Amino acid sequence: MYALLQKQRLKSDKEAVKMAVQVITKDNFQEEVMKSDKPVLLDFWAAWCGPCKMLSPLVDKYSEEDGSVKVGKVNVDEESELASAFNITSIPALFVVKDGKITASKVGFMPEEELKAFVQSAK
């Protein structure tokens, strides 16, 4: 039993390393976003949002493909202060933050190629 639990833990640890997306909260926002040495793609989302559920796998995939960009997700239900600071009125909402400044923003679902182009144009 112990060996099985160890194997499962090892698998989840590998998945965590593979997953380059970070959960952004008001507590880690300054360090992870404002002080980042890389551009940061922020995805504002909620669990109940259909378009967010469609966009999320594309954002996850992008985070694994482009190491030059940090990717963070902000749950608007849990981080209402951050959502308010970014004036979020519709989700999904994407922002690129570079050197502590918003360089691009877009609201709504977008296909994978459009997502890539959006981030690349703002880097």
Side-chain angles (χ1 to χ4, degrees):
M1 181 67 148
Y2 178 75
L4 179 62
L5 290 173
Q6 283 295 94
K7 218 180 235 188
Q8 287 177 331
R9 198 187 96 202
L10 182 60
K11 182 181 178 188
S12 65
D13 289 347
K14 285 180 182 176
E15 288 171 358
V17 169
K18 182 181 175 189
M19 180 61 91
V21 174
Q22 292 187 285
V23 174
I24 303 298
T25 66
K26 67 179 180 178
D27 295 330
N28 69 4
F29 179 79
Q30 284 296 321
E31 193 64 35
E32 297 297 337
V33 178
M34 300 304 285
K35 295 179 181 178
S36 177
D37 57 349
K38 298 178 180 181
V40 181
L41 171 63
L42 287 177
D43 176 13
F44 286 82
W45 68 281
W48 47 264
C49 168
C52 298
K53 290 178 185 178
M54 292 169 36
L55 184 62
S56 185
L58 302 179
V59 172
D60 294 349
K61 183 178 177 188
Y62 183 82
S63 74
E64 294 172 5
E65 293 175 350
D66 188 349
S68 70
V69 175
K70 185 184 284 189
V71 177
K73 292 189 177 186
V74 181
N75 182 325
V76 297
D77 291 332
E78 295 173 1
E79 297 297 328
S80 59
E81 285 181 46
L82 282 178
S84 180
F86 277 80
N87 296 315
I88 302 299
T89 57
S90 295
I91 53 174
L94 298 176
F95 291 83
V96 177
V97 178
K98 183 177 178 183
D99 299 323
K101 295 181 174 63
I102 297 170
T103 57
S105 63
K106 191 159 184 148
V107 175
F109 174 80
M110 64 186 84
E112 184 176 357
E113 292 306 313
E114 189 177 335
L115 172 64
K116 288 179 183 179
F118 164 73
V119 178
Q120 292 303 316
S121 70
K123 287 196 326 187

